[in-house]
Amino acid sequence: MAEITLEKVVKKYGALGVVHGIDLTIAHQEFVVLVGPSGCGKSTTLRMIAGLEDITGGLVRIGGQVVNDLPPRKRNISMVFQNYALYPHMNVRDNLGFGLKIAGQSPAEITRRVAEAADILGLAPLLDRTPAELSGGQRQRVAMGRAIVRNPDAFLFDEPLSNLDAKLRGQMRAEIKKLHQKVKTTVVYVTHDQVEAMTLADRIVVMRDGQIEQVGTPMEVFNHPVSTFVATFIGSPPMNLLPGTIAGQTVRLADGTEVPVPDRLKDFVHDGMAVQLGIRPDDISPVGHGLSQDGPGAEVALTVDLAEPLGMESLIYTRLAGQEVQAKLYGPRIAAPGEVLTFRLALDRAHLFDAATGKSVRVR
Amino acid sequence: MIRALTTRRTELAPFLLLLPAVATMLFVVALPLIFSLWTSLTPYKLTKPNTLYDFIGLTNYIRIFGDWDFWEAFLRTIAFLTVAINVEFALGLGIALLINKITWGQRGLRTIMMFPMMFSPILVGFQFKFLFNDHIGVVNNALQSLGLTDQAIPWLVDAKLAMFSITLAEVWMSTSVFAILLLAGLFAMPRDPLEAAKVDGCNSWQVFRHITLPFLMPFAYIAMAIRSLDVARAYDLVAVMTDGGPAGRTELLWTLVARVGYDEAKMGQANAMAYVSTILSVLFTWYFYRKLVAARRYMGGAE
């Protein structure tokens, strides 16, 4: 059992606070992704769990044991680094077996476990090569092999895919997911890429400025973002935000356009409240070319400013209530700049955020 | 006809362009080498120029190989080289690791560390000769004032102590070569493998032993290749401090070569010794260079 818990964990470099007291419980065998922009403290948090950074305040527990003052080698964790961090002077076999050798395992046991890990990751033909003779993807696989061979309580991944090209990143992402299905272990995975977070995580932890903004399953975070920050960070292209004011049962946008307040949010708003209406590009589509054609919505004629065809869909830039918004056109249809189309806003899926705090009107 | 001429001219161009360089090389390197090789095959004496044309085959070589003085100097040079380079490596590594830890005043320390390299070896020799002088030297003065000894220790007169003193001077002068190169290595060292090793279960010593040291070895081999050439040709320090004495007990190859060649005017025999010494230097350099190439092969993956 290796549950990881963080209790009011703080990290400061001198007077500069980087992590401001975060609480988080990561369940046994859970895959948790810490995601956020650069400088949000996600890597620092991971390195505190690993023992590579001192913990300024709070407690970190692994498997129930407080590990604040334990060096990394006594925490029984493995880590995969962004730059692979392979030992350049050792071949793949020795890289994989190094941890076991240090732990004093017998040569026979090392050979057996290295072969097992190599088998899982398809590294068997590469065992005699040095890291210099491997491609980026192969190096990343060796780094993962080195992590699993020791059979640790938890895997820590620090932006493992950001050095790979887009195609390889997709492949390796799938491999990491498969790996977790084969080798059931607690995983803490740090990334700035929301696609990795969405695809890999059992639970996503969105971080911002050293604090946790939201914790939830990928679908919770996507469907119910607690703030404009999460709303624009998760999901690509980002959610459109339109400033407006609540007027009775409607939101009055900047240019006077009125759209009805979504039913599920009616209880959370009051008259005269300054809000931001959040609506994802997927929910603004030309009639007949959208995802949801039923449910409450509003139809409005908009001019296409720019269209980016992506094959089965096009990303459309247009103006709604005086503000540039992005919309999606599904189906292999070309939209020309200047063309006026009737767009349907799927308002049942729209969000409302308090304009003053940026928080969703549902949380307060 | 014209075409044939132009073609030939183009063919000649590279050789013409190389000619100045080749001529210089011939004149500056090849000719003296051939000349000294030839003299080593003659009983050439500076005082009797005509002996230069008197070919005697390998007699000089046979003579020096049968000469115990030569072998003593030969082995002493190897011992001197081995001790000096290893001590310099160990000290240089220690200094580099310490300076690497310092955050404040590191630049200043780095500069100060290089001071010994700025002095001429002759001056270093004189300075150490004064330090180790048995009557007026600072070392004996200090030892006596501290009450550690009441005798004048004959640093440069006793055979074993004299070699020790010379080695100390050599180490003082050149440890910074290792320190500066190893420090450069430490600066270039990626942090990730160190952290990976910590997570992999290493304590500080194991991280140093299995990760840091292998990474630094190419840098050490560069220093060793340079230093082995330097130490194998050591002359000035010894000439100034002991002049090979007492009774030839600190004689190294090149002090012996100089003595035979200039003092005894037996240039033929001296050149034979010089050739053997040069081959020794080349062997050492070749050895360290090979280690360097082998160590560098895998460093491509270090990032």
Side-chain angles (χ1 to χ4, degrees):
Chain A
M1 284 295 286
E3 182 187 75
I4 299 174
T5 55
L6 309 184
E7 245 175 65
K8 304 208 167 27
V9 170
V10 173
K11 177 67 191 181
K12 283 183 181 163
Y13 294 103
L16 178 73
V18 181
V19 175
H20 308 287
I22 59 174
D23 291 295
L24 180 64
T25 301
I26 298 159
H28 180 56
Q29 296 188 348
E30 188 178 24
F31 198 127
V32 164
V33 175
L34 305 183
V35 66
S38 310
C40 71
K42 57 193 191 298
S43 275
T44 309
T45 305
L46 187 79
R47 291 168 60 81
M48 283 194 284
I49 297 173
L52 295 170
E53 297 282 349
D54 293 333
I55 298 160
T56 314
L59 292 176
V60 174
R61 289 196 179 85
I62 299 176
Q65 188 193 5
V66 176
V67 296
N68 281 37
D69 297 321
L70 290 184
R73 66 196 158 93
K74 297 204 171 143
R75 297 191 183 192
N76 196 25
I77 37 112
S78 296
M79 188 153 166
V80 177
F81 293 81
Q82 181 175 357
N83 298 317
Y84 325 125
L86 301 181
Y87 309 127
H89 54 293
M90 299 180 196
N91 64 21
V92 172
R93 178 181 285 109
D94 293 341
N95 259 287
L96 293 176
F98 182 69
L100 299 173
K101 193 177 122 193
I102 291 296
Q105 299 281 355
S106 72
E109 174 72 2
I110 295 175
T111 311
R112 190 184 66 75
R113 280 164 68 174
V114 166
E116 197 178 278
D119 202 38
I120 293 175
L121 290 160
L123 290 170
L126 307 175
L127 283 177
D128 291 313
R129 295 208 199 163
T130 59
E133 297 165 327
L134 301 177
S135 69
Q138 290 168 333
R139 286 181 200 182
Q140 193 56 63
R141 255 200 289 272
V142 176
M144 276 158 53
R146 195 170 62 182
I148 62 173
V149 81
R150 284 177 37 235
N151 201 7
D153 286 342
F155 291 141
L156 309 179
F157 288 86
D158 190 7
E159 309 219 13
L161 305 184
S162 47
N163 279 9
L164 302 177
D165 64 54
K167 189 177 169 205
L168 205 51
R169 200 179 308 154
Q171 285 175 11
M172 292 305 291
R173 201 171 62 211
E175 286 204 27
I176 290 177
K177 190 150 193 174
K178 277 185 211 151
L179 183 70
H180 183 243
Q181 283 162 4
K182 270 188 230 171
V183 188
K184 279 280 179 197
T185 309
T186 312
V187 175
V188 187
Y189 185 109
V190 162
T191 180
H192 61 265
D193 180 353
Q194 57 90 22
V195 178
E196 281 172 36
M198 289 296 289
T199 49
L200 289 172
D202 291 330
R203 268 195 313 155
I204 292 179
V205 177
V206 184
M207 289 186 68
R208 176 196 195 184
D209 297 335
Q211 266 157 349
I212 291 178
E213 187 86 358
Q214 185 172 7
V215 181
T217 64
M219 289 328 279
E220 278 166 10
V221 173
F222 185 81
N223 288 330
H224 307 288
V226 297
S227 64
T228 52
F229 176 79
V230 177
T232 50
F233 194 81
I234 301 288
S236 174
M239 186 185 285
N240 300 298
L241 292 174
L242 303 165
T245 318
I246 300 292
Q249 296 296 304
T250 62
V251 184
R252 184 179 295 129
L253 300 178
D255 69 340
T257 311
E258 294 199 350
V259 294
V261 171
D263 282 340
R264 62 190 168 86
L265 298 175
K266 278 189 173 132
D267 296 340
F268 300 100
V269 295
H270 56 83
D271 216 25
M273 187 181 182
V275 294
Q276 287 195 296
L277 175 73
I279 182 159
R280 292 199 184 274
D282 306 85
D283 299 327
I284 309 178
S285 295
V287 172
H289 290 280
L291 285 179
S292 56
Q293 296 300 324
D294 42 338
E299 285 183 10
V300 55
L302 299 172
T303 314
V304 175
D305 286 339
L306 182 72
E308 296 179 334
L310 299 166
M312 276 310 286
E313 60 190 53
S314 298
L315 188 59
I316 290 178
Y317 292 75
T318 178
R319 268 158 297 117
L320 177 62
Q323 199 188 329
E324 178 169 271
V325 297
Q326 295 180 44
K328 278 265 184 79
L329 178 153
Y330 287 90
R333 175 197 191 284
I334 299 296
E339 194 177 345
V340 178
L341 296 170
T342 306
F343 284 79
R344 184 172 183 283
L345 312 182
L347 285 172
D348 54 329
R349 296 229 283 260
H351 305 264
L352 283 175
F353 301 98
D354 188 323
T357 61
K359 297 280 178 213
S360 165
V361 294
R362 294 167 355 109
V363 288
R364 45 178 47 207
Chain B
M1 186 63 196
I2 290 169
R3 172 170 295 178
L5 260 176
T6 1
T7 333
R8 184 173 298 170
R9 223 180 261 165
T10 352
E11 278 168 2
L12 278 176
F15 298 99
L16 270 173
L17 290 172
L18 281 173
L19 196 62
V22 172
T24 316
M25 288 290 282
L26 273 176
F27 193 71
V28 176
V29 180
L31 226 60
L33 259 176
I34 293 166
F35 179 72
S36 59
L37 181 64
W38 167 254
T39 58
S40 77
L41 302 174
T42 69
Y44 184 41
K45 284 194 111 167
L46 288 174
T47 47
K48 294 178 191 164
N50 274 337
T51 49
L52 186 54
Y53 309 106
D54 200 356
F55 182 76
I56 55 166
L58 294 173
T59 314
N60 278 329
Y61 289 92
I62 292 163
R63 188 171 298 151
I64 62 168
F65 286 143
D67 181 1
W68 183 240
D69 280 351
F70 172 77
W71 282 117
E72 245 186 337
F74 185 87
L75 294 174
R76 194 176 289 120
T77 304
I78 292 181
F80 178 57
L81 197 151
T82 312
V83 171
I85 286 188
N86 278 301
V87 172
E88 284 169 20
F89 172 48
L91 287 178
L93 181 61
I95 292 172
L97 289 171
L98 287 176
I99 292 188
N100 191 38
K101 285 278 175 203
I102 295 174
T103 48
W104 187 87
Q106 197 190 53
R107 284 157 156 273
L109 265 173
R110 256 148 56 192
T111 312
I112 292 171
M113 188 179 76
M114 292 178 72
F115 280 175
M117 291 167 71
M118 298 174 190
F119 300 120
S120 149
I122 299 240
L123 297 182
V124 174
F126 276 122
Q127 203 53 50
F128 272 85
K129 194 178 181 181
F130 279 124
L131 290 175
F132 283 123
N133 187 293
D134 36 358
H135 297 302
I136 57 162
V138 176
V139 176
N140 275 349
N141 189 310
L143 291 176
Q144 285 164 1
S145 302
L146 289 169
L148 294 174
T149 173
D150 51 0
Q151 292 164 357
I153 298 171
W155 290 107
L156 296 172
V157 181
D158 179 85
K160 281 184 184 141
L161 284 177
M163 206 59 227
F164 167 81
S165 306
I166 291 172
T167 312
L168 193 74
E170 173 65 40
V171 167
W172 180 84
M173 189 170 65
S174 303
T175 293
S176 45
V177 176
F178 277 90
I180 211 79
L181 278 165
L182 292 174
L183 191 60
L186 284 172
F187 285 163
M189 173 131 207
R191 200 182 56 166
D192 284 355
L194 299 178
E195 295 190 332
K198 281 186 206 164
V199 174
D200 254 355
C202 289
N203 58 32
S204 312
W205 163 248
Q206 286 166 326
V207 172
F208 174 75
R209 163 76 188 74
H210 294 291
I211 312 298
T212 311
L213 200 55
F215 183 83
L216 286 181
M217 279 327 277
F219 296 88
Y221 289 134
I222 292 173
M224 285 178 187
I226 297 171
R227 291 294 303 143
S228 63
L229 266 182
D230 255 2
V231 181
R233 67 166 193 221
Y235 170 78
D236 24 25
L237 268 184
V238 182
V240 168
M241 287 176 74
T242 63
D243 198 20
R249 292 294 176 78
T250 56
E251 195 86 284
L252 298 181
L253 274 175
W254 285 102
T255 59
L256 183 65
V257 170
R259 196 180 316 288
V260 172
Y262 299 125
D263 296 359
E264 299 171 18
K266 291 190 269 188
M267 200 44 93
Q269 195 181 329
N271 275 339
M273 289 179 179
Y275 256 90
V276 177
S277 313
T278 309
I279 289 166
L280 179 72
S281 296
V282 170
L283 279 179
F284 266 105
T285 313
W286 174 77
Y287 171 76
F288 287 124
Y289 189 74
R290 251 188 34 154
K291 297 280 249 182
L292 170 67
V293 170
R296 273 184 51 169
R297 200 170 297 137
Y298 54 70
M299 280 308 165
E303 294 195 74

